[in-house]
Amino acid sequence: IMDTSDEWIRERTGIAERRWVEPGTTGAAMAADASRMALEAAHVEAREVDAIVLATLSPDHCFPGTGVFLQRELGLSPVPALDLRAQCSGFLYGLSVADAWIRSGQYRTVLLVGVEIQSTGLDLTTEGRDMAVLFGDGAGAAVLRGSEDTDRGVLSTHLHSQGEHAEILWCDASASYRHPRITAEDLEEGRHYPRMEGKEVFKHAVQRMPEVVGEALDANGLTASDIDLLIPHQANLRISQMVQRRLGLRDDQVFNNIQRYGNTTAATIPIALHEARQQGLVKAGDLICFVGLGSGLNWGAALHRC
C-alpha cells in the first residue's frame, strides 16, 4: 500500500510485525480485556477498584474520555475515571498519579491502563510511511494497591516535559484554536495526520531517557547494576539499544517486544511488563525500571520493587 519494504522497516526501527484493530473495535473494549487480565493476575475483583487512570492519545471520542466507557464496560460502581494525555509517556504519568493517590490514602486500589487505536489515524500512503510503519494498536493494564510493605512497590517516579519541542512530534488538526476546527484545506494538506521529525526525536530520546533513569537511581541510592530489568517505551529498537549502551546494561537486563507490536504508545510499557512476567523475567524482589519519552516532549522514569 506504500513504497517501502520489510527490510527498510526492520533496519530503521526493528519492527517486524504490528497489530491493527478490525473495524468496530473500540479502545474501551480493548482496555476492558487488558483490565480483566490484570485484575485476574492480581487476584483482585473488579468491584474492589476505587479509581481508574487511563492513558491514551487516541480516545474513542473527542469527549468524554475513554475511561468512563471502560468503567461502564467493567460494570464498576461510580468510581472516578481520569484520562491522561501524555502520549508515549502516558503510562508513566498515570503511574505517578496512581501512586500519589494511594500514598495519600485517597484510594487503595487503582486500575491503570494504557490503550491506543492509532491505525485509523495514519496516512497510509508513501508520503506518510515514516509514521505509518511505526504504530500499532494495543492495550495493557496494571493494578496498583496500597501496602504496608515499604520495601516493595513503586519506589519513585520522575517526570519531565519540554514544550519548546512540541512540534517535532505532533498532530495539529483538528484543533480548537482554528476557526473552524478543521477545514477542507487541513484535510488536503494532511494536518490531521501525525507528523514527526524523526532525527530530532531520536536525539532527545537517547539523551533524556538515560538521564531520567539516572535521576531515579540516584533518588533511591541505587546504580544501573542494581536494575534487574529495564522496560523502555517501545518506540524504536535502535533507541532502546542506545539507551541500554549508555546505561551499561546487559541484554538480559532489557526487555523489548517492539519487533512484534510496533509502537503502541501509552500501551507499550504495560504490554511489555505483562509479557516479561509471562516469560518469568519478573520475580519477587526484582528491581524494575520503566522509562519513556514521547510527544510533548514528555519523558519520565519509575522504579518498582516486585
Side-chain angles (χ1 to χ4, degrees):
I1 61 175
M2 63 183 70
D3 182 15
T4 188
S5 69
D6 182 61
E7 180 184 10
W8 187 90
I9 297 168
R10 289 180 190 244
E11 179 182 339
R12 287 160 178 78
T13 70
I15 298 169
E17 306 172 30
R18 69 196 61 72
R19 272 74 181 162
W20 288 356
V21 297
E22 296 287 345
T25 301
T26 67
M30 293 168 62
D33 286 343
S35 297
R36 293 185 185 103
M37 294 168 67
L39 289 164
E40 181 180 358
H43 307 292
V44 172
E45 297 290 334
R47 58 182 172 78
E48 299 177 68
V49 172
D50 299 314
I52 293 170
V53 179
L54 186 143
T56 187
L57 66 72
S58 53
D60 287 339
H61 307 279
C62 290
F63 63 89
T66 303
V68 296
F69 293 100
L70 171 60
Q71 182 262 345
R72 186 172 72 184
E73 288 266 356
L74 295 176
L76 303 184
S77 60
V79 300
L82 172 67
D83 279 51
L84 284 175
R85 288 283 303 277
Q87 295 68 249
C88 295
S89 299
F91 190 81
L92 289 165
Y93 271 66
L95 181 64
S96 181
V97 170
D99 179 52
W101 276 353
I102 291 170
R103 288 181 186 274
S104 72
Q106 185 165 2
Y107 303 113
R108 181 168 184 259
T109 304
V110 179
L111 176 62
L112 173 60
V113 182
V115 59
E116 304 289 358
I117 295 180
Q118 300 173 118
S119 58
T120 55
L122 299 172
D123 180 0
L124 303 182
T125 69
T126 298
E127 183 178 355
R129 67 182 175 182
D130 287 357
M131 293 290 283
V133 302
L134 296 174
F135 292 99
D137 304 335
V143 178
L144 285 83
R145 170 165 278 185
S147 170
E148 299 300 322
D149 187 351
T150 57
D151 294 328
R152 298 180 61 197
V154 179
L155 303 185
S156 62
T157 58
H158 305 265
L159 307 176
H160 300 275
S161 65
Q162 197 170 12
E164 67 192 83
H165 301 299
E167 289 86 356
I168 68 173
L169 177 53
W170 76 327
C171 185
D172 185 21
S174 63
S176 58
Y177 76 90
R178 294 180 175 276
H179 297 268
R181 292 188 177 187
I182 193 163
T183 64
E185 182 183 4
D186 290 331
L187 296 174
E188 185 176 341
E189 296 186 6
R191 296 193 189 109
H192 59 299
Y193 291 130
R195 300 298 181 196
M196 176 175 65
E197 297 177 28
K199 291 182 180 179
E200 284 298 303
V201 174
F202 188 97
K203 180 183 73 174
H204 285 284
V206 299
Q207 175 187 351
R208 296 303 190 182
M209 288 168 69
E211 282 181 356
V212 75
V213 170
E215 179 185 338
L217 292 169
D218 289 346
N220 292 277
L222 299 166
T223 68
S225 62
D226 294 309
I227 296 174
D228 292 293
L229 195 65
L230 176 75
I231 300 181
H233 164 58
Q234 305 292 299
N236 183 311
L237 186 59
R238 310 301 167 229
I239 291 176
S240 296
Q241 291 169 336
M242 182 70 76
V243 171
Q244 175 183 340
R245 285 196 293 271
R246 292 193 172 183
L247 290 171
L249 299 178
R250 305 181 308 274
D251 288 348
D252 65 315
Q253 288 177 284
V254 182
F255 186 85
N256 289 298
N257 63 358
I258 189 172
Q259 302 93 325
R260 294 186 297 281
Y261 305 113
N263 182 348
T264 57
T265 308
T268 71
I269 290 177
I271 290 173
L273 174 61
H274 172 70
E275 291 206 334
R277 290 184 71 254
Q278 283 186 316
Q279 295 174 28
L281 302 177
V282 177
K283 304 177 295 296
D286 280 357
L287 180 68
I288 310 299
C289 181
F290 308 115
V291 63
L293 174 144
S295 173
L297 292 174
N298 293 319
W299 69 93
L303 291 177
H304 179 271
R305 181 73 71 181
C306 296

